[in-house]
Amino acid sequence: MNFYNTTHLHYCGIDLHARSLYVCIIDHDGKTLLHKEISANPESLYRLIEPYIDDLVVGVECMHCWYWVADFCEDHGIHFILGHALYMKAIHGGKTKNDRIDSYKIAKLMRGGNFPLAYVYPREMRATRDLLRRRTRIVRHGADLKAHIVNTTSQYNLPPNKVNLKNVSARDQLKSTFQNPEAQLNIDLDLNILECYHRELSKLEWHLEQQAKHHNPVCFSLLRSIPGVGRILALTILYEIGDIQRFESVQNFASYSRLVKCKAESAGKTYGTQGNKIGNAHLKWAFSEAAVLFLRGNPDAQKYLQRLQKRMNKAKALSAQAHKLGRAVYFMLKQEKVFDENKFLAG
């Protein structure tokens, strides 16, 4: 947990909503200078904070609508910080909660050096990252549709369809499977949506690759040098990391990627782990997938996994390999070097 501890003349805490803002400004001595609710638009916000804009820091909680406030502050040269939602919930909890109190607490946390920081993702790459995340949700919905087709086949006690639904010819075979017309319409609905997804995602993935080559072609090429890491995994790792220089150590990066578990200890006793959900779930997924794909057609990697399995079960061995891949990616991007498989397996 990192805290913001820089001093300023004015601290502006904003309780952020989609249509309104509750703004609280306090000075260096803790005196409340302004406490008011306004509509959520840049003009109203600027008119309100303009008298205090000299040496002002603006802080908001990391909610879904913080983008425009961050861009507003960047355009006007105002220092902006983003609060980690989970940590802030633990810090400024209380018996009474409303927008007025929340904005005041945010300002007080900044002044007292207890404001937990989240990463302000760069504006130029933010929309592409969100588009990539949207693609992931669409792909998972497509997997649900394919599972529904398989389950419906079992429901009517028909032979299993061992076809690859990625292929157009395979989808055509399923258009005359069921005698019941309503059951067939149910499957046709799934197939039509899958066809639309396939067509749109193909165009989307090409566009994402072009954006990656524009934003950070070097890192994208470095990630593709890892065996088993294809276009989608490389895009996910690239855009979820953002700027690798924001991680001071490989331990911080591994923790952010959910590749390590933190022990819960008290009085010399261990009570399991905690905080396993804090971090980037997309990076956790990407490195877990990369650890499995790294083994395909790679006898040396398979032998390495077998050595790990002598000390732990297969699931933990794959987690250890994902952790090691994450560490390798950190140093690859920091030093701008391609993946060295011999060095990786020798460790």
Side-chain angles (χ1 to χ4, degrees), residues 152-320:
T152 305
T153 303
S154 301
Q155 189 177 30
Y156 284 85
N157 197 26
L158 296 176
N161 297 307
K162 297 182 179 180
V163 295
N164 189 348
L165 293 177
K166 292 182 180 179
N167 301 325
V168 176
S169 59
R171 293 196 292 269
D172 290 338
Q173 294 177 24
L174 294 174
K175 292 183 177 179
S176 58
T177 302
F178 299 90
Q179 294 181 355
N180 187 300
E182 284 72 27
Q184 186 60 55
L185 283 173
N186 200 351
I187 297 302
D188 290 345
L189 178 61
D190 293 337
L191 294 174
N192 291 335
I193 296 174
L194 286 171
E195 176 65 30
C196 179
Y197 281 177
H198 176 74
R199 182 176 62 253
E200 296 302 323
L201 289 177
S202 297
K203 296 185 289 186
L204 178 62
E205 289 164 5
W206 179 87
H207 176 78
L208 289 169
E209 185 174 4
Q210 301 310 307
Q211 287 295 98
K213 292 178 180 179
H214 169 70
H215 288 141
N216 201 334
V218 175
C219 290
F220 183 65
S221 298
L222 293 175
L223 291 169
R224 292 295 302 271
S225 68
I226 303 174
V229 174
R231 178 174 58 176
I232 299 303
L233 287 181
L235 287 169
T236 302
I237 295 171
L238 174 67
Y239 280 101
E240 293 301 330
I241 290 175
D243 183 10
I244 192 65
Q245 302 302 330
R246 66 188 175 106
F247 299 102
E248 296 180 357
S249 66
V250 67
Q251 289 83 2
N252 289 343
F253 177 72
S255 177
Y256 178 77
S257 305
R258 294 192 185 181
L259 298 176
V260 294
K261 293 184 178 180
C262 299
K263 289 183 178 180
E265 297 179 337
S266 180
K269 297 180 181 179
T270 301
Y271 299 94
T273 62
Q274 68 177 19
N276 296 331
K277 298 297 183 181
I278 296 177
N280 191 304
H282 303 278
L283 280 177
K284 169 65 174 177
W285 168 82
F287 285 122
S288 299
E289 288 290 311
V292 175
L293 296 173
F294 182 69
L295 301 172
R296 287 187 179 179
N298 194 337
D300 294 334
Q302 294 169 9
K303 291 178 182 178
Y304 175 78
L305 184 69
Q306 291 172 0
R307 293 202 304 269
L308 291 177
Q309 288 183 248
K310 293 179 180 179
R311 298 184 283 114
M312 59 190 78
N313 59 40
K314 186 175 182 180
K316 289 186 177 180
L318 286 172
S319 295

